[in-house]
Amino acid sequence: MLKEQKALYALLSSIPSLIITELNPKGNCCGAAGDYMLSHAADAKKLRQPILDYADQQPIDAVISSNVGCAMHIAEGLDNPSIPVIHPIILLAQQLKSY
C-alpha cells in the first residue's frame, strides 16, 4: 500500500472510464507484511480473507497494488485466476500504449 493513497487515486482517476473500487476500505494489512505470509501463513490468510471476500462481490477486471508482497499474496488467494494483480505503473503504461 502506498503511504499516500490519495496521490495514487488522483493519478489513476486520470484514466478515462476507470472505476476505482477500494477492496480494503479499512486499510487493514492483507497479511503479506514482510515475511509474515511465509512465517505465519495461516494467520496471514485470515488477514487476507476479508479482502478476497470483498473482491469476490465486486465486478472487477484487475487488482492494483503498489506493494509486491501484497500483490503476490492477494493473487495467490483470488478465486478467479484470470483477474490480474498489477502494479499501478504497469496500468498507466498500458494506458499510454493504447493512445
Side-chain angles (χ1 to χ4, degrees), residues 12-21 59 61 91 95 98-99:
L12 293 179
S13 70
S14 67
I15 299 174
S17 73
L18 179 71
I19 299 169
I20 298 172
T21 302
D61 297 316
L91 177 63
Q95 295 303 306
S98 68
Y99 282 108

Side-chain angles (χ1 to χ4, degrees), residues 5-50:
Q5 256 182 319
K6 290 179 185 179
L8 176 60
Y9 289 167
L11 183 60
L12 293 179
S13 70
S14 67
I15 299 174
S17 73
L18 179 71
I19 299 169
I20 298 172
T21 302
E22 190 170 349
L23 298 181
N24 190 7
K26 294 182 180 178
N28 297 335
C29 177
C30 71
D35 70 346
Y36 194 79
M37 67 180 166
L38 302 173
S39 61
H40 297 85
D43 291 333
K45 288 178 181 180
K46 287 178 189 174
L47 288 169
R48 177 185 65 188
Q49 196 56 50

